[in-house]
Amino acid sequence: MKPSVRSLTRVLLASFLVATSVPATCQGQSTSRSMEDPKSPKLNLPDPLISNAEKRIKTAREWKARRRDELKDLFERVMYGKIPAAPEEVDVVTQLVDKRFLEGRATLKLLQLKMGPGNGPKIDVLVVVPNQRLGPAPTFVAMNFCGNHAVVSDPRVPLSKGWLYSSCKGCESGRATEASRGSQSKDWPIEELMARGYALVSFASSDIDSDRADVSDGIYAWLAELDPLFDNRPHDRGTIAAWAWGFSRVMDYVVTDRDLDPLRAAAVGHSRNGKTALLAAAFDERFALAIPHQAGCGGTAPSRGKKGESVKQINDRFPHWFNAKFKEYNEETGRLPIDQNCLVALMAPRPVLLSNAEEDTWANPEGQFDVLRGAASVYKLLGVEQSGLKKRPPIGTLLKGSLGYYVRPGKHSMTSGDWAVFMDYADAHFLKKFD
Ligand code: GCU
């Protein structure tokens, strides 16, 4: 689903990095098909079951009562900044319900979540639910880059009002135009989702925060305006945390819609949106499953090690995604009290699929397998034994366990083929279909 200009930027950036002779291992330039690199040093990821007081967590009870909160606190303090609290006021404005969408196969709902008090974020939400079903539909809750109007081409979907990426097709000076309608519909296979019984709930990241480095127009600016005592220092905020807040606000709606199954909702996102989907689901246990797709550094890839994008590179280029404290680890990731295996562990015992593309070495698919393995002890403690973690599965083979893993051939993008895999994975866990 990623607009082509962004992939082009990635290719150009990669060539620039090679040209400036930064060590190749840091840039993920390898094109080798080999799935394992026997020369990789061991990562020494932190053990999620050793508490801050250096005590071993031995029971599921201790994990739930103590260690989960400790880890959440660490992630907010040293990396993402705080995920703001739920707003005091939310007005759900239903703009359209069409039960005859897609020739009667689906229901289309358009609504807006208006946060208050004052002039809070307004999140446009697109809901498409299959009409043929026995009960509430299992649901993918997915944050998009280019607006709901780009996901489906129906002219009734309001054009996104937020600032949009220049790589979003048909957008001019950051604004949506009629020409941008349906520009991503090929990569969001609504018909297939409906045919397989899944609902899609989608919203645009820019309705929560427009990804500017000065964080001038998002939720944090609104909260600071409302309350002069609100802590809006760079130590306490980050755009990924802001977007994760958005996921939870949309989930607040999902649990009230009787067409959607509140117990079978999956958080989905691609790239920076994938980092967000994982953070949101790790913290908000109402999400029954998470699919962070090609999320890479700051999401599903380890901060430690020398493969793919480094902590310094991501902090230099996107300083606003993480809090100020995270910058202190640029050169010394080994000092981080957490790594991303601890974030995946916060998903336990819920299923999480780390899905990737073979050529997207910037996102470090290999290191992501280590991240999964580094979370397995927590799943085990909570009663989920996972097989298949000794060796990465071959390219194109989906590891369907609760610690799911998948690498397909190709580049960084989210395509309808990826959605087919997301549905296979969700089928395994939501419908108990393992074959
Ligand atoms: C850049 C960044 C990645 C991020 C990606 C995206 O490539 O380095 O960390 O995942 O942008 O979100 O598009």
Side-chain angles (χ1 to χ4, degrees):
M1 77 151 246
K2 223 39 183 328
S4 53
V5 179
R6 190 166 297 134
S7 330
L8 184 64
T9 318
R10 181 182 289 259
V11 172
L12 290 174
L13 175 77
S15 351
F16 167 77
L17 292 167
V18 169
T20 50
S21 74
V22 179
T25 46
C26 297
Q27 314 317 328
Q29 294 308 306
S30 157
T31 52
S32 146
R33 283 190 67 87
S34 149
M35 290 288 276
E36 308 296 337
D37 178 355
K39 288 192 290 291
S40 321
K42 233 181 148 295
L43 281 179
N44 280 329
L45 296 174
D47 184 341
L49 290 177
I50 303 287
S51 76
N52 291 0
E54 311 256 309
K55 293 231 166 68
R56 174 155 288 279
I57 304 296
K58 293 204 189 96
T59 63
R61 206 160 149 235
E62 276 178 283
W63 167 262
K64 287 181 196 150
R66 202 146 45 86
R67 184 61 180 153
R68 246 193 87 77
D69 286 342
E70 264 185 20
L71 283 174
K72 284 168 74 175
D73 178 60
L74 283 173
F75 275 109
E76 288 196 323
R77 274 195 297 119
V78 308
M79 186 168 181
Y80 294 107
K82 280 205 184 78
I83 301 180
E88 282 168 32
E89 298 166 15
V90 184
D91 203 2
V92 181
V93 183
T94 304
Q95 298 160 328
L96 176 112
V97 177
D98 175 5
K99 295 195 169 165
R100 310 287 313 150
F101 189 54
L102 302 179
E103 288 147 3
R105 273 168 288 143
T107 296
L108 168 71
K109 300 183 198 181
L110 301 173
L111 43 113
Q112 190 174 63
L113 311 178
K114 287 179 160 176
M115 312 298 163
N119 200 17
K122 296 179 182 63
I123 309 180
D124 281 327
V125 184
L126 167 83
V127 181
V128 191
V129 199
N131 285 341
Q132 225 185 28
R133 58 190 158 76
L134 296 172
T139 303
F140 289 106
V141 181
M143 188 164 82
N144 64 65
F145 282 88
C146 295
N148 299 339
H149 67 276
V151 169
V152 289
S153 43
D154 192 291
R156 294 168 298 176
V157 178
L159 288 180
S160 186
K161 287 170 206 61
W163 175 89
L164 297 174
Y165 298 95
S166 57
S167 47
C168 291
K169 275 194 205 127
C171 293
E172 283 165 21
S173 312
R175 297 289 159 195
T177 69
E178 284 298 326
S180 49
R181 281 200 184 283
S183 57
Q184 298 199 307
S185 55
K186 177 172 82 35
D187 297 326
W188 292 72
I190 305 258
E191 305 254 359
E192 281 86 342
L193 283 159
M194 296 306 114
R196 290 183 61 169
Y198 285 96
L200 175 72
V201 173
S202 195
F203 63 103
S205 55
S206 62
D207 282 352
I208 297 131
D209 185 289
S210 68
D211 206 358
R212 285 172 216 250
D214 65 1
V215 199
S216 58
D217 60 353
I219 175 202
Y220 290 112
W222 165 59
L223 293 175
E225 203 178 280
L226 273 188
D227 174 6
L229 297 179
F230 175 76
D231 219 346
N232 197 21
R233 294 172 309 145
H235 270 87
D236 290 305
R237 59 165 153 78
T239 302
I240 292 175
W243 290 330
W245 175 89
F247 260 100
S248 288
R249 301 301 59 87
V250 172
M251 192 63 186
D252 294 343
Y253 165 76
V254 167
V255 300
T256 66
D257 183 330
R258 294 195 169 184
D259 290 335
L260 309 175
D261 188 340
L263 299 178
R264 290 184 298 170
V268 180
H270 175 217
S271 212
R272 67 197 71 182
N273 295 357
K275 306 180 205 296
T276 308
L278 177 60
L279 177 66
F283 274 54
D284 186 340
E285 292 180 88
R286 294 174 301 174
F287 288 101
L289 189 150
I291 305 184
H293 178 61
Q294 301 170 354
C297 185
T300 45
S303 296
R304 286 164 171 78
K306 296 208 179 303
K307 291 214 164 107
E309 184 175 20
S310 69
V311 167
K312 173 156 172 37
Q313 282 166 331
I314 204 167
N315 274 332
D316 285 353
R317 229 177 124 211
F318 305 99
H320 55 295
W321 285 359
F322 307 95
N323 72 358
K325 182 84 185 157
F326 196 45
K327 278 78 188 167
E328 292 176 21
Y329 300 95
N330 276 351
E331 313 288 352
E332 291 182 289
T333 51
R335 279 202 308 113
L336 274 165
I338 39 85
D339 207 313
Q340 300 312 99
N341 62 314
C342 302
L343 193 62
V344 169
L346 286 173
M347 281 298 301
R350 296 165 294 154
V352 53
L353 169 62
L354 309 196
S355 91
N356 283 287
E358 188 185 9
E359 290 173 52
D360 187 14
T361 48
W362 185 246
N364 189 5
E366 192 181 327
Q368 292 188 34
F369 197 65
D370 293 328
V371 160
L372 275 191
R373 285 148 59 125
S377 58
V378 179
Y379 278 76
K380 192 170 172 197
L381 186 72
L382 301 187
V384 180
E385 288 272 6
Q386 167 91 36
S387 59
L389 286 178
K390 284 220 168 80
K391 196 164 178 281
R392 290 205 291 159
I395 303 274
T397 303
L398 171 62
L399 184 63
K400 284 191 183 169
S402 296
L403 290 161
Y405 185 80
Y406 182 69
V407 181
R408 62 147 162 88
K411 295 186 193 307
H412 188 76
S413 60
M414 189 165 87
T415 65
S416 58
D418 292 319
W419 277 101
V421 174
F422 302 168
M423 287 188 266
D424 289 346
Y425 188 72
D427 279 358
H429 296 279
F430 288 161
L431 311 179
K432 304 290 167 222
K433 275 199 215 160
F434 275 87
D435 294 312

